[in-house]
Amino acid sequence: MSDAALSARALQNLLGEWRAGARGAVYLALAERVRLLVLDGRVSVDTRLPAERELAERLGVSRTTVTAAYRHLREQGFVRSIRGSGSVARIPGAPAVLPVPPAPTHLDLSKAAPPALPWLADVAREAVDDLPAHLGDSGFDPIGLPVLRQAIADRYAARGLPTSPEQIMVTIGAQHAIALVSRVLVGRGDRAVIEAPTYPHAYEALQLAGARLVAVPVAPHEEADVANRVDDVDALERALARTNPSTAYLMPDFQNPTGRSLDADARRRLLDVAARQGTVVIADETTAELDIDRNHSPLPLAAYGPAGTAVLVGSLGKTVWGGVRIGWIRAEPALIRRLLAARLPGDLGTPILEQLMATRLIGRMDEILELRRAELRAGRDRVESLVAEQFPDWHVPHVDGGIAVWIGLGAPVSSQLALAARAQGLLIAAGPRFGIDGAFERFLRLPICQPVAETEAAVHALRRAWESMPGLAPAEAGLLPAVV
Amino acid sequence: MSDAALSARALQNLLGEWRAGARGAVYLALAERVRLLVLDGRVSVDTRLPAERELAERLGVSRTTVTAAYRHLREQGFVRSIRGSGSVARIPGAPAVLPVPPAPTHLDLSKAAPPALPWLADVAREAVDDLPAHLGDSGFDPIGLPVLRQAIADRYAARGLPTSPEQIMVTIGAQHAIALVSRVLVGRGDRAVIEAPTYPHAYEALQLAGARLVAVPVAPHEEADVANRVDDVDALERALARTNPSTAYLMPDFQNPTGRSLDADARRRLLDVAARQGTVVIADETTAELDIDRNHSPLPLAAYGPAGTAVLVGSLGKTVWGGVRIGWIRAEPALIRRLLAARLPGDLGTPILEQLMATRLIGRMDEILELRRAELRAGRDRVESLVAEQFPDWHVPHVDGGIAVWIGLGAPVSSQLALAARAQGLLIAAGPRFGIDGAFERFLRLPICQPVAETEAAVHALRRAWESMPGLAPAEAGLLPAVV
């Protein structure tokens, strides 16, 4: 297979409203937007860009404009011309790692992930003491250690969903779980319903498995009431009935990036229609226990419908640390067996020491959550007050849990802002990272799970970035047409 | 997608020479062979078996025979009848885990994998001391810690192949590496050359990526000279020229299961033709350093051809332990960047503590290899002498490294023997596990990497199993036609 090529149409989709907010030459606006797409990984390095003529036609600009944009990118080191292959995306200095790792002076808020638990090394040390009992085995463990499967099942039971270890498979993080479930449940060409915006690697996993995506908006207005997702459920119900998908991927609690949750009634309605339709709902509950101040936590999604309608995915990535790669799948035992058979071509199992660590951590989950909730409360409150102070025109929806807020910027300038922030040493995920086809330029995800000092540094960097943006005054930008 | 269904043709392929060596009723021979296929995972639980009439036609037996076989399987608990779905494979007692974990009294030689290094827990404890320096990061690491990539690059350099860290991606074991490389290099419908026999999960990964397999025999005669693979290279060259595959997967050193190696000249010839053809060779060097007494170790495969022709895969699974899930890919930096972009839909990275452990282990690889080579020498010598004593008619090719020997049984009875061995408490991989379409019934893989006491117990269990096999006298069985 040759390197990937990007059609003019695909690039146009990724570009979104690239001319919005730009005041200088058109070619510069185009070049800048392509540069951001390459920098944040939406256009992979070594991807062939469309021919100049085709792109000019598709965008409705002159050929000269595209030529000038490509030349500018070439001069900056973001495009390389290859004989016979046209123009190919690259990153200056050809670093081996993408996305570019933050320099020591950089602040990386492109991931909404907390630093590790302060006492993680102590737990790791205890887990090493558990290791010798396993060293006589082959070590290949594609299903999970019995002691860990039991601990995960017990945790579901404690949360109100009776579960047996036979319903659990241990995976190498939640993403691995989502990819595996997608591979088993999605047939090539099947439809899969996703929320929009959503966590991008999840829908990439569904696409990899051959799914055609059906995106259902869950945040139609930036002023929407975050606590209540009844409208979303109406839209999800309609999408399920209309498109008959084999799967639907969603986050019932503290949706990433919006922070919204489904109440008990919405859960029941959703699984009702899924069961009637034969759709399996893949519920990513990685952040489900990260309550800050919800009055009433619903049960895990599978509690609200017939067996087999919801497959649950969980992980330690957002409670313990992203560097501990333990996730899991809760499903009916027959599906667990199919997942096991499907797993071996992809990997031969989960590391043993990692599993022993996870077993001890899950046993202390209440203590972990108490700590995390306090941190998240502080993070959320600080983000709300700081943004109100620095960006009075931005809208920060009040969330009652989760790891991020989905800020309404009042103008479709998110990519431009992310690019300007990078120049200020701040990496941040622009709104379109969470949509398909370049949507969500009016939104920015800001994590609330960082140490408060980082949050403060980030908002101040955003302020400097905002001021550096050419030709953009918030009041003016607000007059631009909405994206959604 | 519904549960998998098996066509009559596919089951016939899996059954191979199912009537060979059987003396009792035909239906019993058929039922026994299906039972083995289910037990060793070649037919997954919940797979729908072909309709009786179709299978009878395909196998050229009476409908009554198939009906009786299915009834027998049903009575034994290996088939369940489901209204509207026909006959579905299952395992009695519906255990959640497949393959069935060995009971405490069982001996599992179905995996050729050594127990852990005796001092692994000490290294793990040291690695925990390295952990705090990383706990402030997000922990998501899809490319590998710089210190580990450097250690892996240094090891290649020490083995005679200059390598920079930018050429290395750390993976979650070798299988994960093979799957990832396959996903990036194989387009749907591309041809991929594999050796036959070979390590089965590797070709499953290629198939998952959409490859059509081209199997090239590497062990045509059970008397073949193991040390010399010149004939194989002729066959590989012809297959490359004839089928123009995008990739070829092979194990240049101590091929699994045959134990054969390619000499320097064969490596050069292979990469020459691959480079001319535009084929990328995926070289699995997981066991490459497990020399016992080779006069002269060749360099890693990539040293013998132009840059980019060979992608190398390595891991700690067979030197350190299968429970430490660290593997890696060595490729050109441009391909590493493509692999990184392709990885995220499948998983978000390799665990940090595991990587810290691996870094320390690779630094001590010479010491580890000295230990393993002594163990393998003892294992190989004991297997050779014990098999000669207990099974004078079997052929054990002399290997000079690796983890197993590929024993010629003199008769196509490997599946039958594996089934009989199971009744003696021994799990062992029958020859057909390493082929496609039921080939290699005349061969059995016996690991040489187990503790000697386990090897002895295994050979004695094989002896009891052999004697328990109905109607089989080796001299008679030897008259049956060869499978090749």
Side-chain angles (χ1 to χ4, degrees), chain B residues 146-168 328 330 362:
Chain B
V147 64
L148 177 54
R149 296 170 79 198
Q150 185 71 57
I152 294 167
D154 290 349
R155 182 81 200 159
Y156 277 116
R159 292 172 60 204
L161 179 65
T163 300
S164 77
E166 288 68 36
Q167 290 173 279
I168 303 295
W328 55 85
R330 180 194 182 279
I362 288 172

Side-chain angles (χ1 to χ4, degrees), chain A residues 1-3 44-46 94-99 111 113-118 120-121 124-125 128-129 131-132 134-140 143 149 166 172 175-176 179 183-188 190 199 201 204-205 208 246 317-318 321-323 325 334 336-338 340-341 344-354 357, chain B residues 1-3 44-46 94-99 111 113-118 120-121 124-125 128-129 131-132 134-140 143 149 166 172 175-176 179 183-188 190 199 201 204-205 208 246 317-318 321-323 325 334 336-338 340-341 344-354 357:
Chain A
M1 214 170 72
S2 68
D3 283 347
S44 299
V45 164
D46 296 324
V97 185
L98 265 183
K111 297 179 187 69
L117 280 183
L120 185 62
R125 223 165 262 119
V128 172
D129 295 336
L131 191 57
H134 299 269
L135 297 179
D137 303 334
S138 79
F140 296 94
I143 181 93
R149 296 170 79 199
E166 287 69 35
I172 306 165
Q175 182 62 31
H176 181 239
R183 182 134 57 83
V184 168
L185 292 182
V186 175
R188 195 150 290 277
D190 281 3
Y199 165 63
H201 299 309
E204 290 166 8
L208 183 66
S246 61
K318 303 289 169 97
W321 189 38
R325 305 300 310 135
I336 294 289
R337 289 194 294 268
R338 287 172 62 200
L340 181 56
L344 301 181
D347 74 277
L348 296 186
T350 312
I352 300 298
L353 180 55
E354 206 78 0
M357 222 179 347
Chain B
M1 215 169 72
S2 68
D3 283 348
S44 300
V45 164
D46 296 324
V97 184
L98 264 183
K111 298 178 186 69
L117 281 183
L120 186 62
R125 221 165 264 119
V128 172
D129 294 336
L131 191 58
H134 299 268
L135 296 180
D137 303 332
S138 79
F140 295 94
I143 181 92
R149 296 170 79 198
E166 288 68 36
I172 307 165
Q175 182 62 33
H176 180 239
R183 181 134 57 84
V184 168
L185 293 181
V186 175
R188 193 151 292 276
D190 281 4
Y199 164 64
H201 299 308
E204 289 165 8
L208 183 66
S246 61
K318 303 288 169 95
W321 189 39
R325 305 300 309 133
I336 294 289
R337 290 194 293 269
R338 287 172 63 201
L340 180 57
L344 301 181
D347 73 276
L348 296 186
T350 312
I352 300 299
L353 180 55
E354 205 78 358
M357 221 179 349

